[in-house]
Amino acid sequence: MKSAKTVFGQYLKNRGMLHSKQREEILDIFLKTEKHPTIDALYQLIRKKHPKIGLATVYRSMRVICDAGLAREVDFGDGVKRYEHEYQHQHHDHLVCLKCGRVIEVLSPRIEHLQETLAKKHNFTPIRHRMEIFGTCRECKRKEK
Amino acid sequence: MKSAKTVFGQYLKNRGMLHSKQREEILDIFLKTEKHPTIDALYQLIRKKHPKIGLATVYRSMRVICDAGLAREVDFGDGVKRYEHEYQHQHHDHLVCLKCGRVIEVLSPRIEHLQETLAKKHNFTPIRHRMEIFGTCRECKRKEK
DNA sequence: ATACCTGCAAATGTTTTGCGACTAA
DNA sequence: TTAGTCGCAAAACATTTGCAGGTAT
């Protein structure tokens, strides 16, 4: 199985795009976090090692990384885009804690199947979907008692 | 069953808030559309009859209307808030056509039930959830062939 | 009379873009 | 050498807020 970096390198080459240090570094930082970082969170991390890299470059690079199939935009309704891994990570849904912001990734094959059925029933051709359950996670629930 | 306008009037009264002409008119326009209008779409409609009403007032009024339980914010990931009816409209999910923007409201009790189960399995206390399937609607599918 | 509300303009926060300088191939 | 990129600042957008003037009760 090809590594994410290899995939990225090939994507850039195929498109005649350059393999810059900034892109490499931003991809590196993104790959190291298994969370759902915002652009600004990534920017703060990158900044520590490479204070010269600008915010606009992070925006531009994350778009390229998404286009290459390595990341996917997600949003949890708080007005900021977040990114999660796409390569070698199967589709999943999210449980989002409204107290602490923790995100639990979940998968229910039965729900996935019912979604297909639901779309078909309306003659709707699904391309992608998202499902988020907002609430209180176990830890926050315990604390509030 | 109380009308939406009655509910709104009582909500305002209970809070010591004023029943202004602007709020009444904005509620009226919103109640007349069964779509998922953005603030700007509502503003354009309102503007035809009441050119004096400002955009900020539409934003402020829609928040009040949501707080009163008559509308709910939804977003389809295109960076703009939309509003749908909440009063006397049960919870539902959405099929969003990426070609024409049409939104089909759907409900699957089986999916709803599985979502409950899924949350419970993770000791997660659900408050609300959302599910959207993005794809191509029947009409757009037909056209593209 | 007096809270509360509105319209306007300015501020905010996130994301995008124009442009001259820089860099990978 | 020369496209393609970068950093910076400015622009673009959606949304919110401060404030002076207006309005419902």
Side-chain angles (χ1 to χ4, degrees), chain B residues 57-101:
Chain B
T57 300
V58 183
Y59 273 102
R60 287 189 275 230
S61 295
M62 286 312 295
R63 184 182 296 169
V64 176
I65 290 168
C66 285
D67 292 346
L70 301 175
R72 181 196 310 140
E73 283 184 4
V74 290
D75 96 273
F76 299 143
D78 56 353
V80 209
K81 283 182 188 171
R82 291 164 193 280
Y83 294 85
E84 66 178 15
H85 292 226
E86 166 92 356
Y87 186 61
Q88 294 176 352
H89 287 243
Q90 69 180 325
H91 165 80
H92 54 260
D93 299 317
H94 303 102
L95 309 182
V96 182
C97 180
L98 295 171
K99 300 258 173 177
C100 69

Side-chain angles (χ1 to χ4, degrees), chain B residues 18 20 23 57 60:
Chain B
L18 298 185
S20 71
R23 282 176 183 162
T57 300
R60 287 189 275 230

Side-chain angles (χ1 to χ4, degrees), chain A residues 77-95:
Chain A
D78 57 352
V80 208
K81 282 181 188 171
R82 291 163 192 281
Y83 294 85
E84 66 177 16
H85 293 224
E86 166 94 356
Y87 186 61
Q88 293 178 352
H89 287 244
Q90 69 179 324
H91 165 80
H92 55 260
D93 300 316
H94 303 103
L95 308 181

Side-chain angles (χ1 to χ4, degrees), chain B:
Chain B
M1 187 62 115
K2 282 178 283 191
S3 77
K5 288 192 189 183
T6 307
V7 171
F8 193 51
Q10 288 184 347
Y11 175 86
L12 295 175
K13 192 170 227 174
N14 292 343
R15 308 255 165 165
M17 296 168 80
L18 298 185
H19 191 287
S20 71
K21 283 170 181 154
Q22 288 88 335
R23 282 176 183 162
E24 168 129 16
E25 188 56 35
I26 292 166
L27 176 60
D28 248 33
I29 296 276
F30 168 68
L31 290 175
K32 276 183 194 153
T33 167
E34 283 290 333
K35 297 179 189 171
H36 299 77
T38 60
I39 286 288
D40 198 63
L42 290 168
Y43 178 55
Q44 298 309 330
L45 289 171
I46 284 153
R47 191 163 226 233
K48 288 180 193 164
K49 285 178 66 179
H50 305 270
K52 290 282 193 58
I53 294 183
L55 183 56
T57 300
V58 183
Y59 273 102
R60 287 189 275 230
S61 295
M62 286 312 295
R63 184 182 296 169
V64 176
I65 290 168
C66 285
D67 292 346
L70 301 175
R72 181 196 310 140
E73 283 184 4
V74 290
D75 96 273
F76 299 143
D78 56 353
V80 209
K81 283 182 188 171
R82 291 164 193 280
Y83 294 85
E84 66 178 15
H85 292 226
E86 166 92 356
Y87 186 61
Q88 294 176 352
H89 287 243
Q90 69 180 325
H91 165 80
H92 54 260
D93 299 317
H94 303 102
L95 309 182
V96 182
C97 180
L98 295 171
K99 300 258 173 177
C100 69
R102 196 156 81 99
V103 177
I104 303 160
E105 301 190 344
V106 294
L107 180 65
S108 165
R110 295 176 67 191
I111 290 179
E112 299 292 314
H113 180 257
L114 286 171
Q115 285 167 339
E116 287 289 333
T117 308
L118 187 58
K120 199 167 286 173
K121 184 173 140 191
H122 292 270
N123 283 297
F124 189 89
T125 311
I127 292 174
R128 64 171 199 276
H129 70 265
R130 68 174 182 197
M131 190 192 96
E132 273 92 40
I133 302 178
F134 300 94
T136 314
C137 75
R138 186 183 46 201
E139 282 71 23
C140 290
K141 192 73 186 176
R142 183 158 41 77
K143 276 183 211 157
E144 85 187 13
K145 277 175 189 167

Side-chain angles (χ1 to χ4, degrees), chain A residues 43-97:
Chain A
Y43 178 54
Q44 297 309 330
L45 289 171
I46 284 154
R47 192 161 223 231
K48 287 178 194 164
K49 286 177 65 180
H50 305 270
K52 290 281 193 58
I53 294 184
L55 183 55
T57 301
V58 184
Y59 274 102
R60 288 188 275 230
S61 295
M62 286 312 295
R63 182 180 298 169
V64 176
I65 291 168
C66 284
D67 291 347
L70 301 175
R72 180 196 309 141
E73 283 185 4
V74 290
D75 97 274
F76 299 142
D78 57 352
V80 208
K81 282 181 188 171
R82 291 163 192 281
Y83 294 85
E84 66 177 16
H85 293 224
E86 166 94 356
Y87 186 61
Q88 293 178 352
H89 287 244
Q90 69 179 324
H91 165 80
H92 55 260
D93 300 316
H94 303 103
L95 308 181
V96 182
C97 180

Side-chain angles (χ1 to χ4, degrees), chain A residues 8-24:
Chain A
F8 193 52
Q10 288 184 348
Y11 175 85
L12 294 175
K13 192 168 227 175
N14 291 343
R15 309 253 165 166
M17 295 168 79
L18 298 185
H19 191 287
S20 71
K21 282 172 181 152
Q22 289 90 334
R23 282 177 182 159
E24 167 130 16

